[in-house]
Amino acid sequence: MTFHRELNELQLQTLETVISGAAPSRFELSHQFGVSPQTMTRAVKGLVDNGYLDEQAESTGTRGQPSRRLIFRTGSLLVLGLVLANERLVVTVEDLAGERLYKREVGGDFREPDRTLDKATAMITEAFAAVGATERFVGIGIAAQGFFIEKGRRVVSIGNPLAWSRVDLKAHFETCFSLPVTIQNDAKAIAVGTIREGLSRRHSHYFCFYLGGGVGGALVHNNELYEGVSANAGEIGNFVPRNDFRPTIGNFLKVADLERVEDWSHDGELPPSVGDWCRQAGASLTPAAQMVVRTYDVDRLFVCSYMPGPILQAICSAIRLEPIGSNLLSPEDARRLLRWPVVTPINETSLNRGACALAGYHFLRNPRNPQS
């Protein structure tokens, strides 16, 4: 049941295509990947025989052999996601298509690495015991607050920077669980989640802001996460003022006089103080968003957060952007000739789903064997 460790590039590409919801036939896949029908049939046979994919006959209402559509078998391949945050730990298990099987969240003070790693390791062990079938797991994804000092291994957290800098997170969890471990910070985990959800197939270049305890960012280019030299690319939050109008969860809760985001219960028009905060929060995010447009040449920005939908929408509506070249043209010519950036709020994206997506992303994009 560990056949997934031997998959070649063509089989991984097939899995990724099917998981995206395309439900292709073998013939369509052979055309898409530029291989012969015989090569495609061999690749698909291994995936079907090992229970990762199912083939369903398509009813066409015509004579002849019906085409057979490939679909992902729910629960056949699993990933585990871990969120490491200063105030909470979250462990989630999903299958490669995003179907959730397990979730556990624990709040507390997790600024010190020793206590945090002990608790996280115990929670992952409990998750494996609860779900069973550990041979179906293809990897662990970790979404960690902080920034990298060693790509994919060491993350500095504001809790205790020096102590965290000594921790090789990748080695710790790979030693404990004998699975590949992929680590990104929170904004990049969210961005990988948008890739899995299909946004990268509709928009080839975009930037994700993540508004949580701070402000993070990540760039997606041609269906790939852009990491940079040390995996810190896109850290745009430094350009957003650190004041009461910084668009963070903490500032929102303060102005709304709430303990938790879930306590928000307003319908319709926002209270005046909250509405004013949203407008100023959007204005404070505008310079960083404009810098993204001019630096990365994107025409769409996704602003992701678990703030209530109306709050996030109000913040996004207050962001004012201009395309590259607008300063060289008259307003009329700029509107007629240039593509204006679009800001889209996404308030359904969560860190735990992003952490799971990291593991799946790494599994599907990193073939173990060359295509034969």
Side-chain angles (χ1 to χ4, degrees):
M1 291 298 291
T2 56
F3 178 72
H4 60 80
R5 297 178 182 175
E6 309 299 327
L7 299 182
N8 60 36
E9 184 176 359
L10 181 59
Q11 290 171 317
L12 292 171
Q13 290 175 331
T14 300
L15 264 178
E16 185 173 18
T17 301
V18 173
I19 287 168
S20 73
S25 66
R26 298 187 188 198
F27 176 78
E28 290 169 344
L29 287 172
S30 69
H31 179 74
Q32 177 179 335
F33 298 138
V35 299
S36 69
Q38 294 82 5
T39 298
M40 198 69 246
T41 293
R42 287 196 299 271
V44 169
K45 184 176 187 301
L47 297 173
V48 172
D49 289 349
N50 284 275
Y52 307 147
L53 299 181
D54 287 324
E55 287 190 292
Q56 292 186 345
E58 182 180 36
S59 177
T60 61
T62 60
R63 294 181 179 179
Q65 182 89 12
S67 63
R68 302 180 68 83
R69 296 286 167 181
L70 294 165
I71 60 172
F72 178 71
R73 181 175 291 182
T74 300
S76 59
L77 292 172
L78 306 178
V79 289
L80 184 141
L82 168 66
V83 174
L84 289 176
N86 291 330
E87 76 290 346
R88 64 190 175 114
L89 299 177
V90 187
V91 171
T92 309
V93 174
E94 297 178 357
D95 70 15
L96 272 188
E99 183 74 21
R100 179 174 293 172
L101 283 73
Y102 175 93
K103 179 184 176 184
R104 185 184 175 206
E105 179 172 345
V106 174
D109 184 350
F110 297 110
R111 291 174 294 179
E112 297 294 333
D114 289 344
R115 176 176 184 269
T116 301
L117 294 179
D118 287 346
K119 184 61 177 177
T121 302
M123 289 174 67
I124 293 175
T125 302
E126 292 170 6
F128 285 143
V131 174
T134 55
E135 71 277 0
R136 290 186 287 154
F137 281 84
V138 301
I140 296 173
I142 300 177
Q145 283 188 347
F147 65 91
F148 283 100
I149 59 169
E150 183 182 355
K151 184 175 181 179
R153 289 187 175 275
R154 301 179 196 272
V155 179
V156 172
S157 165
I158 62 173
N160 188 334
L162 188 58
W164 278 104
S165 70
R166 301 189 184 105
V167 177
D168 187 333
L169 288 173
K170 183 177 177 69
H172 172 83
F173 288 106
E174 286 187 341
T175 299
C176 288
F177 299 107
S178 300
L179 284 170
V181 172
T182 307
I183 306 168
Q184 291 287 359
N185 67 11
D186 46 13
K188 289 181 180 58
I190 293 294
V192 171
T194 67
I195 293 174
R196 185 180 68 178
E197 291 161 12
L199 292 183
S200 62
R201 291 188 294 276
R202 301 193 295 274
H203 311 286
S204 59
H205 303 80
Y206 61 87
F207 193 86
C208 287
F209 280 98
Y210 176 61
L211 310 183
V215 178
L219 176 67
V220 175
H221 170 78
N222 283 339
N223 202 35
E224 298 277 349
L225 175 69
Y226 180 74
E227 297 184 73
V229 173
S230 57
N232 290 314
E235 285 301 316
I236 205 74
N238 254 359
F239 299 98
V240 183
R242 296 180 182 277
N243 55 32
D244 289 344
F245 299 109
R246 185 175 171 87
T248 64
I249 296 292
N251 281 343
F252 160 66
L253 293 177
K254 186 191 303 181
V255 74
D257 193 24
L258 299 174
E259 292 290 330
R260 306 176 307 156
V261 172
E262 294 79 10
D263 296 332
W264 176 261
S265 60
H266 292 273
D267 293 322
E269 190 174 348
L270 299 178
S273 60
V274 175
D276 181 64
W277 179 83
C278 290
R279 286 187 290 273
Q280 298 203 54
S284 73
L285 195 57
T286 293
Q290 186 66 69
M291 187 181 301
V292 165
V293 170
R294 294 190 182 279
T295 304
Y296 297 132
D297 193 22
V298 297
D299 62 0
R300 186 170 293 268
L301 293 89
F302 293 99
V303 182
C304 311
S305 181
Y306 57 96
M307 292 186 197
I311 301 298
L312 190 59
Q313 179 64 61
I315 292 173
C316 290
S317 297
I319 298 173
R320 297 287 180 263
L321 299 178
E322 295 181 349
I324 297 172
S326 59
N327 59 318
L328 304 176
L329 302 172
S330 68
E332 294 78 12
D333 287 343
R335 286 288 177 188
R336 181 166 54 89
L337 297 174
L338 303 178
R339 178 181 294 182
W340 288 71
V342 176
V343 180
T344 303
I346 303 178
N347 73 317
E348 297 177 354
T349 304
S350 60
L351 265 181
N352 45 308
R353 295 188 72 85
C356 283
L358 283 175
Y361 180 84
H362 182 268
F363 170 72
L364 294 170
R365 303 295 178 97
N366 290 272
R368 266 62 60 193
N369 294 325
Q371 181 180 331
S372 56

